[in-house]
């Protein structure tokens, strides 16, 4: 029996060899990059804030009643001093009793108000104000805005009630530079410009003195006075403080006495008797412990029985009187 033919052996198809896988080259891990630190930004400089201008402080002073003086007083220096309502009315008139009447300085002579009439029908002083400044030629006020100061200008404003047409009513205005020892100086007299409520003003130079006073003597008829006695008359004072003047000179130093001259060496000493010096026209001594005119000045001019030798014995031609004996 024939041996069967073995089928041809087919060599196995080789499995293709995969190329070796090269491991990927690792990408180096970059260290984390920190973002650069930015330099600190300075905060913006704020725009300078303009300083707030405070509202101007009023330097006007309102008087208060001063028990020691017995009148309204501004104890502090200001641009003005105002009595406000402290002087309103007169004495004990009907419907218009004045507070603390008569409001005249206790350091001066007593001066009482008249008590006749009716408030705001008859005469009264209602308000006094002193203000630093001046008046224009028409009499309108020109406040300076400065303090009431020695050597400066100020004006007084007086509110009055005038009777009838006002033609019979007069306001005498006085100033004292020292309210503690009033010495009233006449400033002016003003007749009421009309009847009813009226305002009058007068400007003046402020003298030296830290504590000054205005007096208004308001009278029906009569003549100028610091204290008239009419039954319809009103008298009021206002004391105001004054700033020392900026131009006040410093006190004059005591003069330095001249040095005592030394007597010339070998000169006379001890008591000296004067002799007449024709060049000087008077008796003269040399240096010594005393100087005696003796009889050189005896008598006077050409009086009877007493003619003075070498008269008049003065250095500046000052002649003696020649009457008498």
């Amino acid at each position: 029996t024939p041996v069967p033919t073995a089928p041809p052996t087919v060599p196995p198809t080789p499995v293709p060899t995969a190329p070796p896988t090269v491991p990927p080259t690792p990408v180096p891990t970059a260290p984390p990059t920190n973002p650069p630190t930015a330099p600190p930004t300075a905060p913006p400089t704020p725009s300078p804030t303009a300083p707030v201008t405070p509202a101007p402080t009023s330097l006007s002073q309102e008087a208060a009643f001063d028990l020691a003086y017995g009148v309204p007083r501004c104890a502090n220096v200001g641009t003005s001093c105002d009595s406000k309502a402290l002087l309103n009315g007169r004495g004990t008139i009907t419907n218009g009793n004045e507070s603390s009447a008569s409001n005249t300085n206790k350091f001066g002579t007593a001066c009482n108000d008249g008590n006749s009439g009716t408030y705001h029908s008859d005469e009264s002083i209602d308000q006094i104000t002193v203000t630093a400044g001046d008046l224009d030629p028409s009499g309108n006020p020109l406040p300076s805005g400065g303090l009431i100061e020695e050597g400066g200008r100020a004006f007084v404003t007086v509110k009055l009630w005038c009777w009838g047409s006002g033609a019979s009513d007069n306001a005498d205005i006085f100033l004292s530079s020292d309210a503690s020892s009033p010495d009233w100086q006449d400033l002016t007299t003003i007749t009421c410009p009309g009847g009813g409520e009226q305002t009058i003003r007068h400007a003046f130079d402020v003298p030296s003195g830290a504590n000054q006073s205005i007096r208004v003597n308001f009278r029906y008829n009569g003549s100028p006075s610091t204290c008239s006695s009419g039954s319809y008359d009103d008298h009021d004072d206002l004391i105001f403080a004054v700033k020392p003047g900026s131009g006040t000179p410093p006190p004059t130093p005591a003069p330095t006495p001249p040095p005592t001259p030394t007597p010339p060496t070998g000169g006379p000493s001890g008591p000296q008797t004067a002799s007449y010096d024709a060049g000087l026209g008077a008796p003269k001594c040399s240096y010594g412990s005393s100087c005696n005119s003796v009889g050189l000045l005896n008598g006077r001019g050409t009086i009877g029985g007493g003619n003075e030798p070498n008269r008049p014995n003065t250095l500046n031609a000052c002649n003696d009187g020649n009457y008498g004996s």
Side-chain angles (χ1 to χ4, degrees), residues 45-64:
T45 304
S47 302
T49 303
V52 177
T53 304
T57 302
S58 173
L59 292 176
S60 58
Q61 299 293 315
E62 185 172 326

Side-chain angles (χ1 to χ4, degrees), residues 5 60 62 100 105 108 120 125 131 150 165 191 193 206 221 223 227 235 238 247 275 291 294:
T5 304
S60 58
E62 185 172 326
S100 306
N105 197 332
H120 281 188
I125 299 166
T131 307
E150 293 176 342
S165 68
T191 300
V206 181
N221 289 327
S223 57
C227 183
H235 329 87
L238 175 66
S275 59
C291 178
V294 195

Side-chain angles (χ1 to χ4, degrees), residues 12 19 26 57 73 99 107 112 169 198 244 254 259 261:
T57 302
R73 179 187 180 208
S99 174
F107 288 89
N112 295 320
D169 294 338
Q198 298 292 330

Side-chain angles (χ1 to χ4, degrees), residues 202-303:
H202 180 75
F204 60 95
D205 295 319
V206 181
S208 297
N211 193 41
Q212 303 191 25
S213 183
I214 282 285
R215 168 166 292 184
V216 179
N217 181 76
F218 189 39
R219 55 187 168 82
Y220 172 72
N221 289 327
S223 57
S225 171
T226 57
C227 183
S228 55
S229 57
S231 59
Y232 291 89
D233 296 356
D234 195 3
H235 329 87
D236 289 322
D237 295 352
L238 175 66
I239 296 176
F240 57 98
V242 176
K243 177 186 174 185
S246 55
T248 303
T252 304
T256 304
T260 304
T262 304
T265 304
S269 61
Q272 300 295 309
T273 300
S275 59
Y276 181 73
D277 186 307
L280 295 175
K284 175 186 176 185
C285 290
S286 298
Y287 288 107
S289 60
S290 65
C291 178
N292 192 340
S293 70
V294 195
L296 294 178
L297 301 177
N298 193 22
R300 170 167 55 83
T302 58
I303 63 173

